Amino acid sequence: MLREMLENVRIKSPLIHNITNYVTVNDCANILLACGGNPIMADDIGEAEEITSVCDGLNINIGTLNQRTIPAMLAAGKRANTLGHPVVLDPVGAGASKLRTETALTLLKEVKFSVIRGNMSEIKTLASGSGSTRGVDAGILDRVTKENLGQAVAFAKEFSCKTGAVIAITGAIDIVSDQEKAFCIYNGHPDMSRVTGTGCQLSAMTAAYAAANPDTALTAAAASVCAMGLCGEIARSRMSAEDGNASYRNYIIDAVFHLTGENLEKGAKYEMR
Amino acid sequence: MLREMLENVRIKSPLIHNITNYVTVNDCANILLACGGNPIMADDIGEAEEITSVCDGLNINIGTLNQRTIPAMLAAGKRANTLGHPVVLDPVGAGASKLRTETALTLLKEVKFSVIRGNMSEIKTLASGSGSTRGVDAGILDRVTKENLGQAVAFAKEFSCKTGAVIAITGAIDIVSDQEKAFCIYNGHPDMSRVTGTGCQLSAMTAAYAAANPDTALTAAAASVCAMGLCGEIARSRMSAEDGNASYRNYIIDAVFHLTGENLEKGAKYEMR
Amino acid sequence: MLREMLENVRIKSPLIHNITNYVTVNDCANILLACGGNPIMADDIGEAEEITSVCDGLNINIGTLNQRTIPAMLAAGKRANTLGHPVVLDPVGAGASKLRTETALTLLKEVKFSVIRGNMSEIKTLASGSGSTRGVDAGILDRVTKENLGQAVAFAKEFSCKTGAVIAITGAIDIVSDQEKAFCIYNGHPDMSRVTGTGCQLSAMTAAYAAANPDTALTAAAASVCAMGLCGEIARSRMSAEDGNASYRNYIIDAVFHLTGENLEKGAKYEMR
């Protein structure tokens, strides 16, 4: 099942428009090439809609957000909606500043997203701001554990109902959920958090998976999350005693480059809830 | 012949002003250092002319183009022309949006370029828009092959006549041409297209080669294109079974770091047309 | 003594706000993660103060300076001062353009810096412009050597008196000085200058060291400079015959990832003046 998701990316080679931060943009481009997709980066309002139109999917990432690119995000997002292209939102740092929180909420209001991927803190910020009368359940910790997994899954399903998007909450345990079903994913390695941009890279790759698998957004997003975590494991096992986070960064992308559908199917560790 | 081009870069260590995209800018800086040049990046209209004045060459790349930097490109280009510094144009994505196409055409009109380097699709866009009465020959494929090489060379020579620039069209076969003579270059490896920014890097390096060899622009550009392709081959042969496009990126720059004039002369594969 | 500086970074994991250039920003993020800190990049005036407020230190770097981000630098710097957070200035390219020189001088006037880190040319530009009646001593060469070291140390102490900041002048010999005492540091390798952004990375890491050691700014900055130089040596010794500046870049960050307080203490080569 996950295998087909990956293989469709390699067969269709979707072109992904990225409006993303300048910190991790090079890694986003290389991971898109590694997984079988193709990247274009364009963030000026003078070309955002046109570039989106020639692509197969759109990835909006609000890291290093600035006022010049917000209108481009909105315009590209709306155009992608009109064209039926999948759109991924990575709400980097939502909650850390009003600019990021409000921009993320505006994007949520104006654009229909296929997948929203962030950490629990970011997703809670979006859910809290989106008008839920109950607010965010204070009982949901920022760190998903085996103990609070059921609660976290319920939260993800509820936010999926509100937004219509597949919700991907990544952390020690990843949750990828639509309104009814959730993948709880156990792939990955803690050291991935010491490489900048593994989350950004995952969002970019998820846009490629969503674009190549338009009718199965949940499974596509879950396959992308499993692939990233599995590649984090493969890359970790390749590290020598002298390798640190810079080499780890390269090895993760290298592992994505070589990952096959068969190995993804075998290596994915998840349960459905 | 190619040997001297490379050795002059190492001897003169030209300082190159880059106004370039934020996706591949770090790789452009590192490849300039690898080949023996030095990079400065500056894109604000408040300093673009001044920075160009203290440099030996200018590299203008329109990836992630935005309206803030277009005036800086024009101002720096004109200043470089006044000073007699070589200017390289990399028309990334020309044809993909009006903003890029029109900006590239404006640059062509306002700035005299020493070298224009792009893929066939980008160069065709520029040639088509530059007022050719015959338009771009519809028979020229986007992919240069042995079968259509003669036609592609004729096209490159014609565009060189129009612009006065050396035209470098890179792909499976690279063409580097002035108005009379063309290098048809067979170096490189197909996997280079799975590393983001190999084209951007080549353009930056070509600016260093042009700056260090001011009287032999054609040979300088051909040497740079041969060097990049040859380093792509050397780097490819170094890859282990686990290495993917991230390691390949590093190995290509590493190979540029170690390339000698002698090895370039031996490894360059080209014919003149 | 240096050991504690490093260990405090690993224990406290300071969050560092970076307003920095887009050339080396990814490496700055990864070296902050490598040393035990955490990075946030944010340069829009709409969030700069807010982001600084949730951080432990601020790193301002004027490479690829542009008019959009100058107000954000000033606002963040002032907020950090109000909160008592350490602020590092990296005056990249001061002296190369009026925009950079004047912005650096404005920053010096409006913001109190804990550490100013640059090469001799950049620091001389700042000292010259800051109203010294004697001007910069023309006898101080741009390259610090054993012969002019005494003179260079006196210059650093004088500039520290004027600014109240620890002055870190990096080059073949590094000087890290407050008003009374200077570390003259002999770590490092000449090939570090062939990796783009080692200076930018050092400034980012120094912000983490300063934030984790608020009462010992001089020793913290010296520890960071020793650590970077030592990691340059460790990384250099790891290089194979085929490795060039791209691999070197990765190995330096990897070495920072693995550096222990004990190894820093043993490997640091400095004298006090």
Side-chain angles (χ1 to χ4, degrees):
Chain A
M1 181 179 61
L2 302 184
R3 170 204 290 251
E4 287 73 30
M5 303 296 108
L6 179 149
E7 288 169 353
N8 282 334
V9 177
R10 299 220 187 264
I11 292 165
K12 297 181 185 176
S13 196
L15 184 57
I16 304 302
H17 178 197
N18 297 270
I19 304 180
T20 186
N21 69 76
Y22 58 79
V23 184
T24 64
V25 60
N26 184 272
D27 294 329
C28 289
N30 272 327
I31 207 164
L32 278 166
L33 288 163
C35 77
N38 271 297
I40 294 186
M41 277 63 182
D43 66 15
D44 193 272
I45 185 66
E47 66 172 1
E49 292 165 278
E50 226 178 323
I51 295 290
T52 280
S53 301
V54 298
C55 289
D56 304 299
L58 172 64
N59 174 39
I60 297 177
N61 175 308
I62 66 167
T64 64
L65 190 64
N66 66 73
Q67 284 154 2
R68 184 179 69 73
T69 56
I70 296 170
M73 291 176 176
L74 287 164
K78 288 176 186 175
R79 176 63 64 92
N81 282 170
T82 303
L83 296 168
H85 297 177
V87 190
V88 172
L89 175 64
D90 188 332
V92 178
S97 77
K98 272 179 209 148
L99 181 69
R100 298 206 195 189
T101 305
E102 285 171 9
T103 300
L105 294 174
T106 302
L107 284 164
L108 271 187
K109 201 172 145 193
E110 303 281 336
V111 177
K112 185 178 170 350
F113 289 96
S114 302
V115 184
I116 301 169
R117 192 219 62 85
N119 61 34
M120 180 56 96
S121 166
E122 291 157 352
I123 301 296
K124 277 169 71 178
T125 296
L126 298 194
S128 164
S130 64
S132 158
T133 49
R134 290 196 303 142
V136 174
D137 190 328
I140 296 185
L141 299 172
D142 279 345
R143 186 180 289 268
V144 176
T145 60
K146 290 201 175 176
E147 285 66 41
N148 65 17
L149 184 57
Q151 203 179 7
V153 165
F155 164 72
K157 286 182 179 173
E158 190 184 352
F159 191 47
S160 179
C161 286
K162 277 182 205 146
T163 57
V166 170
I167 307 302
I169 303 169
T170 52
I173 304 173
D174 307 314
I175 297 169
V176 181
S177 181
D178 66 8
Q179 304 173 30
E180 294 172 6
K181 280 186 305 184
F183 288 75
C184 300
I185 299 171
Y186 298 90
N187 290 103
H189 190 283
D191 281 353
M192 294 175 80
S193 65
R194 296 191 65 188
V195 174
T196 193
T198 49
C200 301
Q201 292 172 46
L202 172 55
S203 294
M205 185 161 70
T206 301
Y209 272 72
N213 299 284
D215 302 324
T216 53
L218 175 65
T219 314
S224 178
V225 172
C226 287
M228 190 71 189
L230 179 58
C231 288
E233 297 168 22
I234 294 168
R236 192 67 185 65
S237 69
R238 185 184 163 190
M239 284 172 77
S240 75
E242 289 174 309
D243 286 333
N245 59 332
S247 291
Y248 193 25
R249 180 256 299 262
N250 293 316
Y251 296 164
I252 293 170
I253 297 175
D254 283 354
V256 170
F257 186 91
H258 286 293
L259 189 67
T260 62
E262 189 180 344
N263 287 340
L264 174 58
E265 198 75 55
K266 277 187 202 160
K269 293 192 278 285
Y270 64 90
E271 55 169 331
M272 304 301 301
R273 289 246 186 163
Chain B
M1 182 179 60
L2 301 184
R3 171 204 289 250
E4 286 73 30
M5 302 297 108
L6 178 149
E7 288 168 353
N8 283 335
V9 177
R10 300 222 186 263
I11 292 165
K12 299 182 184 176
S13 196
L15 184 58
I16 303 302
H17 178 196
N18 296 272
I19 305 181
T20 187
N21 69 75
Y22 58 80
V23 184
T24 65
V25 60
N26 184 272
D27 294 328
C28 289
N30 272 327
I31 207 163
L32 278 166
L33 290 162
C35 76
N38 272 296
I40 295 185
M41 278 65 183
D43 66 15
D44 194 89
I45 184 67
E47 67 172 2
E49 291 165 279
E50 228 178 324
I51 295 289
T52 280
S53 301
V54 299
C55 290
D56 304 299
L58 173 64
N59 174 39
I60 297 177
N61 174 308
I62 66 168
T64 64
L65 189 65
N66 66 74
Q67 283 153 2
R68 183 179 69 73
T69 58
I70 296 170
M73 291 176 176
L74 287 164
K78 288 176 187 177
R79 176 63 64 92
N81 282 170
T82 303
L83 297 166
H85 296 177
V87 190
V88 172
L89 174 64
D90 188 332
V92 178
S97 77
K98 272 179 209 149
L99 180 69
R100 299 206 192 190
T101 304
E102 286 171 8
T103 300
L105 293 174
T106 302
L107 284 164
L108 270 187
K109 202 171 145 193
E110 304 280 335
V111 178
K112 186 179 166 355
F113 289 96
S114 303
V115 185
I116 301 168
R117 192 219 63 82
N119 61 34
M120 180 55 97
S121 166
E122 291 157 352
I123 302 296
K124 277 171 69 179
T125 296
L126 299 194
S128 164
S130 64
S132 157
T133 49
R134 290 197 302 143
V136 175
D137 190 327
I140 296 185
L141 299 174
D142 279 345
R143 184 179 290 268
V144 176
T145 59
K146 290 199 176 175
E147 284 66 40
N148 65 17
L149 183 56
Q151 201 178 11
V153 165
F155 163 73
K157 287 182 181 174
E158 190 183 354
F159 191 48
S160 179
C161 288
K162 277 180 206 151
T163 57
V166 170
I167 307 301
I169 303 170
T170 52
I173 304 173
D174 307 314
I175 297 169
V176 181
S177 181
D178 65 9
Q179 303 173 30
E180 294 172 5
K181 280 187 304 183
F183 288 76
C184 300
I185 299 171
Y186 298 90
N187 291 104
H189 190 283
D191 281 354
M192 295 175 80
S193 65
R194 296 190 66 186
V195 174
T196 193
T198 50
C200 301
Q201 293 173 46
L202 173 54
S203 294
M205 184 161 72
T206 300
Y209 272 70
N213 299 283
D215 302 324
T216 53
L218 175 65
T219 314
S224 178
V225 172
C226 287
M228 190 72 190
L230 180 58
C231 288
E233 296 169 25
I234 294 168
R236 192 65 185 67
S237 70
R238 185 182 165 192
M239 285 172 75
S240 74
E242 288 174 311
D243 285 333
N245 59 331
S247 290
Y248 193 27
R249 180 259 296 265
N250 293 315
Y251 296 165
I252 292 171
I253 296 175
D254 283 355
V256 170
F257 185 91
H258 286 295
L259 188 67
T260 62
E262 191 181 341
N263 287 339
L264 173 58
E265 199 72 55
K266 275 188 206 159
K269 294 193 278 284
Y270 64 90
E271 55 169 331
M272 304 300 300
R273 289 245 185 165
Chain C
M1 183 180 60
L2 301 183
R3 171 203 289 252
E4 287 73 28
M5 303 296 108
L6 179 149
E7 288 169 353
N8 282 334
V9 177
R10 300 220 187 266
I11 292 164
K12 298 181 184 176
S13 197
L15 184 57
I16 304 302
H17 177 197
N18 297 271
I19 304 181
T20 188
N21 68 76
Y22 59 78
V23 184
T24 64
V25 59
N26 184 272
D27 294 328
C28 290
N30 272 327
I31 206 163
L32 278 167
L33 289 162
C35 76
N38 271 297
I40 294 187
M41 277 63 182
D43 67 14
D44 194 272
I45 185 66
E47 67 172 1
E49 292 166 279
E50 225 178 327
I51 295 290
T52 280
S53 301
V54 299
C55 290
D56 304 298
L58 173 63
N59 174 39
I60 297 178
N61 175 308
I62 66 167
T64 63
L65 189 65
N66 66 74
Q67 284 155 1
R68 183 179 69 72
T69 57
I70 295 170
M73 291 176 177
L74 287 164
K78 288 176 185 176
R79 176 63 64 90
N81 282 170
T82 304
L83 296 167
H85 296 177
V87 190
V88 173
L89 174 64
D90 188 333
V92 179
S97 77
K98 273 180 208 147
L99 180 69
R100 297 207 195 190
T101 305
E102 286 171 8
T103 300
L105 293 173
T106 302
L107 285 163
L108 271 186
K109 201 172 146 195
E110 304 280 337
V111 177
K112 190 182 164 349
F113 288 96
S114 303
V115 185
I116 301 169
R117 193 220 60 84
N119 61 34
M120 180 56 94
S121 166
E122 291 157 352
I123 301 296
K124 277 171 70 178
T125 296
L126 298 194
S128 165
S130 63
S132 158
T133 50
R134 290 197 301 141
V136 174
D137 190 327
I140 296 186
L141 300 173
D142 279 345
R143 183 180 292 267
V144 177
T145 61
K146 290 199 176 174
E147 285 65 42
N148 66 16
L149 184 57
Q151 202 179 9
V153 165
F155 163 73
K157 286 181 181 172
E158 191 185 349
F159 191 47
S160 180
C161 287
K162 276 180 207 150
T163 56
V166 170
I167 308 301
I169 303 170
T170 51
I173 304 173
D174 307 314
I175 298 168
V176 181
S177 181
D178 66 9
Q179 303 173 30
E180 295 171 4
K181 280 186 304 182
F183 288 75
C184 300
I185 299 172
Y186 298 89
N187 290 104
H189 190 282
D191 281 354
M192 294 175 80
S193 65
R194 296 190 66 187
V195 174
T196 195
T198 49
C200 301
Q201 293 172 45
L202 171 55
S203 294
M205 185 161 71
T206 300
Y209 273 71
N213 299 284
D215 302 323
T216 54
L218 175 65
T219 315
S224 178
V225 172
C226 287
M228 191 70 189
L230 180 58
C231 288
E233 297 167 24
I234 294 168
R236 192 65 184 68
S237 69
R238 184 182 165 194
M239 285 172 74
S240 74
E242 289 174 310
D243 286 333
N245 60 332
S247 291
Y248 193 26
R249 180 257 298 265
N250 293 315
Y251 295 165
I252 293 170
I253 297 174
D254 283 355
V256 170
F257 186 91
H258 286 294
L259 189 67
T260 62
E262 190 182 343
N263 287 339
L264 174 59
E265 200 73 54
K266 276 188 205 161
K269 294 192 278 284
Y270 64 91
E271 56 170 331
M272 305 300 301
R273 290 249 184 161

